[in-house]
Amino acid sequence: MKNIIITGGAGFIGSHVVRLFVNKYPNYRIINADFLTYAGNLENLQDIDKAPNYVFEHVDIVDATAVDALFDKYQPEGVIHLAAESHVDRSIKDPLAFLRTNILGTANLLNSFKRIHTDFEGKRFYHISTDEVYGSLGAEGLFEETTAYDPNSPYSASKAGSDHFVRAYGETYGLPYVITNCSNNYGQHQFPEKLIPLFINNIVQEKPLPVYGDGNYTRDWLYVVDHARAIDLVFHNGKNAETYNIGGFNEWTNLNLIKVLCTQMDQKLGRTTGSSEKLITYVKDRPGHDKRYAIDATKIQRELGWEPSVTFEQGLGITIDWYLANQAWLKNVTSGSYQDYYKNMYANS
Ligand code: NAD
Ligand code: DAU
């Protein structure tokens, strides 16, 4: 069996990647290395966690000794690295936590991978990154693989730093790597601090929908299962030392997206048309809020034959249905410390 370590496999995107790999590649042993922070939840993997080719390891990637022990134990041929602190608002409150996990954590993984392999033939370190490293677009243009890095939030700066470390290990030590920079994901199992699941949860509970600033910010949305399919393709067929942008060809201003979401929610909950929109509440803007993200994903489309498999309306429908059917999951993940975080978040709005 080929050993593949997937870090952050209990999180949102990671759990979809682990599921795809466990089901599709019985000849791989998938080692899910996750520290189970507030964002990591083994419930996300209940359907595959008894599979013979799946193993869970509780590891903090910031702890170099623990990472070394993990790599000594499994001698992985491949690493797919998703573990991170991922929420921009949290990075504004606690930037150093992002520096530690996203930069130091990534460097620890690179070091261990380099240490256990004297021969890199057939090995691959795949780093999952974000389009936020490119900064903000104006009204025109798209992020390309050649766009200069220009991160604005502590989160995006930490992801940019980690991308640079991966490249530097490739250049300096010949470590085989590939990097992808993806746009905003949505779908099942996303922690309800991010826009779409937060608003679904608030609409169900008839709580205010906190729109930052005037809501006139643009994001490019991609259904998470399509991101996992892209990760599978890049891991197996991507060229060494290359970057691929991944996006949904699907730009929405926050306000327009929220209106579509509200309409679908009214229909699904059997509420009067317009009742969810009445929950929209304008709150203080996010500091350093990037105006617009949009990805040019033609490289991965052209070279690897990837494209999204669902439309936004379909993906959003699947997502809403999942949250409505999994209220217990929502309740579990939003109990405890999340309540305090959420209260503090809007204390000064
Ligand atoms: P998430 O916050 O849902 O999950 C992160 C996972 O990492 C959790 O399971 C958590 O327990 C784990 N983790 C955090 N710190 C750890 C540590 N010190 N050691 C081990 N595990 C740790 O994140 P996500 O939204 O699934 O994002 C996954 C990756 O994809 C991240 O690297 C993120 O930067 C990137 N990304 C996310 C998006 C998006 O829209 N969500 C878009 C592009 C790229
Ligand atoms: O672009 C990829 C990135 O997308 C990922 O790298 C990040 O991990 C992921 O969190 C996401 O970052 P964003 O900051 O774009 O996502 P978020 O869901 O936090 O916000 C989306 C937009 O909605 C953004 O313009 C801020 C706005 N927003 C968000 C929240 C949570 C609101 O107006 N109100 C809110 O309550």
Side-chain angles (χ1 to χ4, degrees):
M1 256 191 187
K2 222 178 185 183
N3 282 344
I4 311 290
I5 290 182
I6 300 184
T7 70
F12 166 48
I13 302 170
S15 60
H16 289 274
V17 177
V18 166
R19 174 173 302 100
L20 191 155
F21 273 67
V22 165
N23 288 332
K24 190 168 171 186
Y25 301 107
N27 55 325
Y28 292 176
R29 179 181 291 109
I30 299 300
I31 301 116
N32 171 15
D34 197 298
F35 195 41
L36 300 181
T37 67
Y38 78 93
N41 185 353
L42 290 176
E43 262 186 75
N44 295 349
L45 293 164
Q46 265 173 353
D47 54 327
I48 56 96
D49 64 8
K50 306 282 181 301
N53 62 336
Y54 171 77
V55 187
F56 173 70
E57 291 282 352
H58 189 222
V59 176
D60 179 1
I61 59 166
V62 177
D63 179 346
T65 310
V67 173
D68 269 345
L70 177 78
F71 279 65
D72 283 339
K73 182 170 173 187
Y74 291 104
Q75 301 286 317
E77 280 93 339
V79 175
I80 305 178
H81 174 37
L82 295 111
E85 287 292 341
S86 68
H87 191 42
V88 173
D89 293 324
R90 286 181 190 259
S91 81
I92 295 166
K93 288 198 177 299
D94 188 3
L96 296 189
F98 283 67
L99 185 155
R100 281 189 294 272
T101 299
N102 298 356
I103 302 184
L104 183 56
T106 301
N108 283 339
L109 294 166
L110 290 165
N111 258 341
S112 292
F113 196 61
K114 168 167 92 62
R115 186 180 54 76
I116 61 164
H117 292 303
T118 44
D119 177 5
F120 282 133
E121 186 59 38
K123 314 293 186 305
R124 169 154 278 185
F125 188 100
Y126 179 3
H127 179 58
I128 309 296
S129 193
T130 171
D131 60 357
E132 299 203 10
V133 299
Y134 299 124
S136 186
L137 289 164
E140 301 292 321
L142 300 170
F143 293 136
E144 295 171 10
E145 284 80 2
T146 50
T147 302
Y149 276 33
D150 189 18
N152 292 315
S153 72
Y155 163 69
S156 52
S158 69
K159 291 298 290 187
S162 63
D163 293 10
H164 292 321
F165 262 95
V166 175
R167 282 207 182 84
Y169 271 65
E171 288 297 318
T172 309
Y173 307 111
L175 186 140
Y177 74 89
V178 64
I179 298 176
T180 50
N181 296 85
C182 188
S183 66
N184 286 63
N185 285 216
Y186 68 95
Q188 306 92 313
H189 297 134
Q190 186 170 32
F191 193 83
E193 62 187 351
K194 310 277 165 58
L195 182 74
I196 290 180
L198 174 71
F199 278 33
I200 293 173
N201 194 21
N202 284 11
I203 290 171
V204 170
Q205 298 185 45
E206 299 182 85
K207 283 186 181 167
L209 305 178
V211 175
Y212 297 165
D214 60 5
N216 202 13
Y217 293 88
T218 299
R219 297 290 183 266
D220 174 353
W221 293 91
L222 177 67
Y223 182 50
V224 64
V225 172
D226 281 330
H227 188 189
R229 288 175 46 246
I231 289 172
D232 178 19
L233 273 178
V234 172
F235 182 68
H236 290 99
N237 304 331
K239 285 197 200 117
N240 185 45
E242 292 266 340
T243 284
Y244 296 86
N245 282 350
I246 307 173
F249 304 100
N250 181 40
E251 283 185 57
W252 290 83
T253 65
N254 293 342
L255 262 188
N256 285 341
L257 181 155
I258 291 160
K259 285 180 184 161
V260 171
L261 178 69
C262 285
T263 305
Q264 285 210 19
M265 289 295 289
D266 285 344
Q267 283 164 1
K268 288 181 191 285
L269 293 168
R271 292 183 185 162
T272 319
T273 308
S275 54
S276 297
E277 263 193 57
K278 288 197 188 118
L279 298 170
I280 290 176
T281 309
Y282 292 91
V283 299
K284 205 169 69 178
D285 210 347
R286 173 186 278 176
H289 199 165
D290 286 331
K291 185 76 181 160
R292 176 171 165 255
Y293 305 146
I295 283 275
D296 178 351
T298 49
K299 180 177 173 182
I300 185 171
Q301 196 177 36
R302 189 182 59 244
E303 291 188 11
L304 304 182
W306 173 87
E307 56 188 8
S309 68
V310 295
T311 65
F312 186 55
E313 285 72 11
Q314 286 167 336
L316 193 61
I318 297 167
T319 304
I320 296 172
D321 289 343
W322 185 85
Y323 280 95
L324 293 181
N326 288 277
Q327 289 294 301
W329 181 93
L330 261 178
K331 215 169 168 195
N332 285 349
V333 301
T334 53
S335 58
S337 62
Y338 173 80
Q339 297 288 355
D340 299 330
Y341 164 77
Y342 193 72
K343 256 186 248 141
N344 290 337
M345 189 67 213
Y346 301 111
N348 304 317
S349 293

